């Protein structure tokens, strides 16, 4: 099959030109259909904060948010992420570099050691806090009513179980997520009051 002409960019039959909306910025680029979102981020767009760990969807090091939900970027094809809202670790902090409360909690409570898994852990933590606040149960949820209670260490461990830390900083990570979740809940109460 001859290559297709897509307005000045020629792509082969096994490639497409996609527009990826990453951290609020659109990036249009030709990609091979087999290119993972992880490789597009790291190798094509130089967004190297997202780490390549196992490259098999088992360690969570490459976790990003796609439309606000956790996704392991090594298992997601870039073409399937077109026109979706992708948030990487580079998009978590404020525009002036102010750390997100989850990032602050990781720093304050030493929720990292070597730091390699930390970007994926932080992206997962953001989604965990949102999922719990929305009343989504996990396998560890005893009472599935949305108003059932705060995010417990047991819930955090279950919900973060897709993210492995080779250094074993799990105790600090659970504390950091609990701390950030508690502050997020307090902020929500202040907004309502």
């Amino acid at each position: 099959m001859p290559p297709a002409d897509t307005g000045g960019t020629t792509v082969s039959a096994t490639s497409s030109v996609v527009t990826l909306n990453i951290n609020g910025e659109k990036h249009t680029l030709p990609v091979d259909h087999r290119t993972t979102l992880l490789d597009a981020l790291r190798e094509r767009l130089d967004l190297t904060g997202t780490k390549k760990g196992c490259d098999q969807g088992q360690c969570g090091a490459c976790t990003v948010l796609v439309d606000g939900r956790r996704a392991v970027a090594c298992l997601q094809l870039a073409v399937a992420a077109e026109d979706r809202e992708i948030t990487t670790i580079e998009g978590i902090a404020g525009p002036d570099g102010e750390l997100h409360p989850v990032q602050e909690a990781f720093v304050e409570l030493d929720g990292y050691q070597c730091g390699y898994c930390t970007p994926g852990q932080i992206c997962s933590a953001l989604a965990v806090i949102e999922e719990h606040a929305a009343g989504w149960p996990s396998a560890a949820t005893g009472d599935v009513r949305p108003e059932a209670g705060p995010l417990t260490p047991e819930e955090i461990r279950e919900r973060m179980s897709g993210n492995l830390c080779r250094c074993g900083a799990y105790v600090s990570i659970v504390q950091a997520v609990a701390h950030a979740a508690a502050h997020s809940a307090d902020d929500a109460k202040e907004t309502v009051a």
Side-chain angles (χ1 to χ4, degrees):
M1 179 176 278
D5 187 353
T6 57
T9 302
T10 302
V11 294
S12 72
T14 58
S15 300
S16 295
V17 174
V18 297
T19 299
L20 300 175
N21 188 356
I22 304 166
N23 302 327
E25 191 174 317
K26 290 186 185 271
H27 302 269
T28 301
L29 66 157
V31 294
D32 184 283
H33 293 157
R34 299 164 291 184
T35 302
T36 64
L37 178 58
L38 174 61
D39 288 340
L41 291 170
R42 289 184 56 82
E43 297 173 14
R44 303 291 307 281
L45 299 172
D46 204 27
L47 292 168
T48 57
T50 303
K51 303 302 183 202
K52 182 178 277 194
C54 66
D55 210 19
Q56 298 177 2
Q58 297 180 6
C59 74
C62 64
T63 302
V64 297
L65 302 176
V66 177
D67 293 336
R69 301 196 58 188
R70 293 177 273 175
V72 282
C74 70
L75 296 184
Q76 170 109 36
L77 294 175
V79 292
E82 183 166 29
D83 294 328
R84 300 179 75 185
E85 298 289 330
I86 301 162
T87 304
T88 68
I89 192 67
E90 290 92 348
I92 303 294
D96 57 354
E98 180 182 341
L99 295 180
H100 185 280
V102 172
Q103 292 173 306
E104 288 180 354
F106 268 71
V107 171
E108 183 179 325
L109 298 168
D110 199 18
Y112 57 88
Q113 285 186 12
C114 80
Y116 195 81
C117 72
T118 305
Q121 299 273 4
I122 288 173
C123 286
S124 274
L126 287 166
V128 161
I129 293 168
E130 296 261 333
E131 290 165 8
H132 181 265
W136 296 5
S138 78
T141 304
D143 185 346
V144 296
R145 291 174 297 169
E147 68 280 359
L151 191 56
T152 64
E154 180 182 35
E155 280 279 353
I156 293 168
R157 283 192 289 272
E158 167 59 23
R159 292 174 189 264
M160 296 286 293
S161 63
N163 291 80
L164 303 180
C165 171
R166 291 174 179 86
C167 301
Y170 294 117
V171 172
S172 298
I173 291 170
V174 169
Q175 290 173 344
V177 175
H179 180 79
H183 283 278
S184 178
D186 289 346
D187 291 346
K189 286 178 188 172
E190 288 177 13
T191 303
V192 171

